[in-house]
Structures are given as C-alpha cells and as structure tokens.
Amino acid sequence: MASTGSETKRWRVRASGPLRGQVRVPGDKSIGHRALLFGALAEGTSTVRGLSGGLDNAATAEAMRQMGARIEFSGEPATGVTAKIAGVGLDGLKMPSGVLDCGNSGTTMRMLAGVLVAQKFGTRLIGDASLTRRPMRRIVDPLRARGGHIAGVKGAKEGEHYPPLSVAPLLPDEKLTGIEYQSPIASAQVKSALLLSGLWADGPTAVAEPTLSRDHTERMMLALGVPLQTMGPMVVLDPEEWDRRWDGFEWDVPGDISGAAFIMAAGLLVPGSEIVIDNVGTNPTRTGILDALRAMRAPIFITPRGDAAGMEPIAQVVVRHAPYSPTRLGGELVTRMIDEVPIFAAICTRAGGASEIRDAEELRVKESDRLSITANMLRDAGVDCVELRDGMTIHGGTGALRATRVTSHGDHRIAMTAAVLGLASEGETIVQDVGCVDTSFPGFADLLRSLGADIVEETA
Ligand code: S3P
C-alpha cells in the first residue's frame, strides 16, 4: 500500500503542452472499502483485484485485521493492488487489542460503526484531524434507535457527535432491533452503516433517502446472497429466512470515476488534449459528472465495456479539449457526483458564461469545507466566483487563469483540483501538503506526467 503520507510533499505545476495518451485510474475507493469489509466477513478466502492501494482502503483493511481477518496485499497502485482475505464469518470477529484508527476515512469510520454496534465487545474508533471534525450524529442516532450503544464527543456544533466514537458491547441477552429509517440526507455511508448493522439484527432494516446515493453496498450484498430488496431510494434487508453467511468470493474493482474526473478535467482544460481512460466504473449512482458534462456539450465519449464483479458497470471514457457551455447543477445530480463538485467547479471556469452549483451544502462537512476552499481557490486564480450557502456561481470564460499558491487543507480532492487548475494557468502553481492524495489516488502526479503534464513533486 502507499506510504504513510506523513512527510510534507508539494507540487510545482506549470501549464504544459497537450495531454495525450491512454491510462487507467486506481480502483474505486468506495467499492474497495466494501470488498475488503465483505471479504473479512465471508466464510473462506476471497481475492479482490484492482484495488487503489490508497490509505483509506488500507485503514479499513487494518481495522478488519485487528478484529481477526487475515488480509495480504500484493502488487502496485499503478497496475492494481490485489488483496487475499481470509474471512472470519459474521460470528467470528474478535475484540481488537487497541483503538481502530480510521485515518482520514469517513467511509471507514461510518461503515465500521454499523458493524461494531452489533458486537458483544466494545471498541473505540479514532481518526486524523480532518476526520475528527466530521459529524457522526447521522449514524449515531439511527444506530442507537435500533439498540446500539454508540457515542461520539462534543464539538463545534451543539448536539452533534464527533470522533472518537466509543461503542459499548451489546449485553449477552441484547440484539439490535429492526428499524425503518427515513434518512434526512442522501448518504451512502449512513445507508451502509444501517444495512451492515442489519446483518446481525433481529428484524428487517428499511432505509429510505431523499435521492438514491451510491448503491455499491446493495449491489455487493445482493451478489453475495444477502436478502435485500431495492425500490428506487428505498432498500429493505430482511434476514428472517437467511442463514446469515456468505462464502469467499473473487472480485474485480473498477477504476474510480471520482479519480477519473480529475483526468477528464485535465483533458477538457488543457488545449490540444485527448485522453482515453479505460476501465472506469460507471454505476449510474456515480455518473452525475458524465451527465453534467454531456449537458454542457463537452466532448466526452463513453463506450460501455460490460460489468465488473458485483454488477458494477464499466466503460471506456475519451475526453478532448474543445469549447463547452455553462450549466446549472443541482438536485439529484449533485448526489450522483458529490465528490466531483470541486473539480467540476474548475471545469466551469472555462465554460463560456455563468454556471451555478446548488444543493451541495454537504460539501461543507467533507474532508474539508470544499465549497469555501474551492471558491477561494477560483477567486485567487482570477475567476469571478461567488460562494453561496449551498454552492457557488462561476463566471467562466477564456481569460487567462492566474497561477496560485494553494494548500490542500489535508483534502485529497482539493489538492488534485488545484493541480489540474494549475495545468491550465499561466505561471507556476504551488500545491502544498499533497501527501493526502495517497488516500485515494496514489500515483496521481505520475499519471498526469505520463500524459505530458509538467508537475514536479518536492518533499519538504
Ligand atoms: C462514500 C459516500 C459519500 C462520498 C464518500 C464515499 C461511500 O459520502 O462522499 O467519498 O463510499 O459510501 P456520504 O455518504 O457522506 O455522502
């Protein structure tokens, strides 16, 4: 897996000639977490290929190791990491000897919480400075409502729960109950925490969300024989007739569309570029970025290539530099491209006119406040950009972008957005603190360099 990322690294980025070539991006981070988790809970051995090798997935793997699963990684991020997992079965988790460190990964913490509230042993989940600022009440409340003993600590917002999370054991005669939960936010992490806890519950788990968030957990559960029914943004897991087990499996993780979005953006923004990206995951709950770009008449071509394991569709994506129109982004499209909003804002800087992004207030509680940091970055680059409560307006055009000096705020997607913007700016852009990129996209700068980008990495 990637290095710890603890050393301070920075990038010096300059406008380069056309970016051209054919690449693959690292495996999907969301699917990777789930494959590792479901492999650790399987009875028997699983093989998961095409993992990103990123630190977030490594945190999930390490937590499952601490609870008894054996997980061995081989291979390199550039060509895909393989995990061999000896699972312990649903009744086989053991108490870890120390805290479970989720690092920077909200998905690790929230999904693990769903598993841990169902156990007869207690645990404590910690995270890095960024994760420690992220709200956890969204999982604490519904997990408590079904009998889980879980609490976070107080923090910035009254009534909120923040990490570390403490999970007390269920008593010998206690079981989680069934639950019908209407989630106020469209969140795959909340939905997954509830579905995972439902694997051990004494009754059905029904979750409805305002719009359908990424459904990788549902697809994987269905593929493994978990009794699940989905109806649009509703899902029900009823374990009554189920033997509560699954066998080891073989899994291929598709390329991460959220990572591919940065490469697509580089192709759109840098004059003369044409980039082919193979093996991109195109699960419809994740393809908002492709739909948004098509609505802008951006030159992007998608060729379906069948399904990877677990009914996850994949495609080849080709992107070229050419003019495109501004757009208005909001509603369910935002849910389907929630992680792509910062790089989408960078793309909007070159659309001929005013674009508007709304309904994206969730971005304020990601690895950083992505609305405010992205809007500031665009303004520093000389773009007319106004931050709104739930989004921003961006006046795009052809005027030169100014090179900036940006810090990532420990947020991988901010670092990558800044670098891509730098490729289309005049002068030298400096992106500070880029070690965080290893959480999801190890080798990002190398991959861009292989296409012709001028990025120098320095270690301070
Ligand atoms: C994820 C869900 C999303 C997303 C995150 C990964 C997942 O978070 O932003 O990067 O793998 O379930 P929310 O559930 O908070 O929307």
Side-chain angles (χ1 to χ4, degrees):
M1 302 300 265
S3 77
T4 63
S6 57
E7 65 274 24
T8 311
K9 287 194 278 185
R10 68 177 186 177
W11 291 328
R12 307 172 86 91
V13 186
R14 288 185 162 275
S16 42
L19 304 177
R20 287 174 172 268
Q22 187 161 3
V23 291
R24 279 180 170 236
V25 292
D28 189 277
K29 177 161 79 74
S30 288
I31 298 174
H33 282 302
R34 288 154 174 89
L36 291 163
L37 199 62
F38 286 106
L41 295 174
E43 291 183 13
T45 307
S46 300
T47 305
V48 180
R49 285 177 291 265
L51 289 159
S52 67
L55 297 173
D56 277 12
N57 280 182
T60 295
E62 187 49 35
M64 298 317 285
R65 272 193 198 117
Q66 281 181 254
M67 291 188 285
R70 283 210 315 279
I71 305 182
E72 278 168 28
F73 289 112
S74 58
E76 290 302 317
T79 44
V81 167
T82 298
K84 285 260 184 238
I85 310 166
V88 296
L90 280 183
D91 294 323
L93 291 176
K94 67 173 177 57
M95 184 169 168
S97 55
V99 294
L100 299 175
D101 188 350
C102 304
N104 189 247
S105 175
T107 312
T108 303
M109 185 170 280
R110 293 184 178 134
M111 294 213 309
L112 278 182
V115 171
L116 297 171
V117 287
Q119 307 305 317
K120 302 276 182 200
F121 54 81
T123 36
R124 195 169 150 83
L125 293 159
I126 63 165
D128 70 5
S130 151
L131 183 52
T132 300
R133 285 191 293 269
R134 297 183 66 185
M136 293 295 149
R137 186 171 171 183
R138 53 186 62 199
I139 51 149
V140 167
D141 280 355
L143 291 175
R144 278 182 175 176
R146 73 184 321 174
H149 308 301
I150 178 166
V153 299
K154 289 186 180 143
K157 194 171 157 203
E158 179 73 29
E160 187 49 87
H161 287 257
Y162 295 93
L165 292 179
S166 302
V167 185
L170 287 178
L171 299 173
D173 58 342
E174 273 183 325
K175 275 204 118 189
L176 297 180
T177 61
I179 188 170
E180 260 183 53
Y181 188 64
Q182 172 70 55
S183 176
I185 42 173
S187 163
Q189 294 175 358
V190 171
K191 175 172 61 178
S192 301
L194 277 161
L195 289 174
L196 284 163
S197 62
L199 296 171
W200 290 270
D202 209 11
T205 301
V207 188
E209 42 184 354
T211 57
L212 179 64
S213 64
R214 64 191 66 191
D215 64 356
H216 306 302
T217 301
E218 295 94 302
R219 284 175 189 245
M220 214 170 275
M221 283 187 168
L222 281 169
L224 295 173
V226 179
L228 207 72
Q229 286 197 354
T230 60
M231 293 145 281
M234 285 190 286
V235 55
V236 181
L237 189 175
D238 187 350
E240 181 158 353
E241 306 273 290
W242 177 48
D243 57 359
R244 302 203 193 227
R245 62 174 303 284
W246 58 80
D247 292 324
F249 52 84
E250 301 252 322
W251 221 268
D252 284 300
V253 179
D256 197 331
I257 189 167
S258 299
F262 296 99
I263 309 304
M264 292 179 217
L268 289 171
L269 293 173
V270 177
S273 298
E274 175 161 336
I275 307 175
V276 181
I277 315 172
D278 287 317
N279 192 42
V280 179
T282 46
N283 176 319
T285 60
R286 298 283 299 280
T287 47
I289 182 70
L290 301 179
D291 295 343
L293 292 175
R294 270 195 297 245
M296 297 165 90
R297 304 196 187 288
I300 177 147
F301 309 95
I302 298 140
T303 313
R305 292 281 194 240
D307 285 3
M311 297 172 292
E312 292 286 352
I314 48 180
Q316 182 187 69
V317 176
V318 180
V319 64
R320 269 187 215 129
H321 174 80
Y324 48 85
S325 324
T327 193
R328 186 186 185 282
L329 187 69
E332 67 91 42
L333 198 52
V334 173
T335 305
R336 295 198 297 114
M337 56 181 283
I338 191 72
D339 293 335
E340 286 67 81
V341 173
I343 190 62
F344 182 72
I347 292 171
C348 290
T349 64
R350 304 285 82 186
S355 294
E356 190 177 39
I357 300 172
R358 303 304 300 257
D359 303 325
E361 57 270 53
E362 265 295 293
L363 264 76
R364 296 202 185 275
V365 290
K366 293 289 180 190
E367 285 85 327
S368 69
D369 179 345
R370 288 181 175 162
L371 287 183
S372 136
I373 292 170
T374 304
N376 280 336
M377 187 196 308
L378 297 191
R379 277 195 297 267
D380 286 349
V383 178
D384 177 0
C385 171
V386 179
E387 183 182 338
L388 308 170
R389 181 189 54 79
D390 64 344
M392 65 187 87
T393 56
I394 301 150
H395 292 263
T398 50
L401 295 170
R402 245 183 353 239
T404 55
R405 207 183 169 96
V406 182
T407 166
S408 70
H409 296 262
D411 185 336
H412 52 139
R413 301 201 198 280
I414 294 296
M416 290 188 275
T417 299
V420 170
L421 202 61
L423 292 172
S425 303
E426 281 183 358
E428 186 179 70
T429 296
I430 300 195
V431 192
Q432 301 276 15
D433 192 15
V434 298
C436 54
V437 171
D438 287 346
T439 58
S440 69
F441 203 146
F444 173 76
D446 292 338
L447 189 146
L448 276 178
R449 262 194 299 270
S450 78
L451 292 167
D454 185 352
I455 303 189
V456 178
E457 185 166 299
E458 295 174 343
T459 305

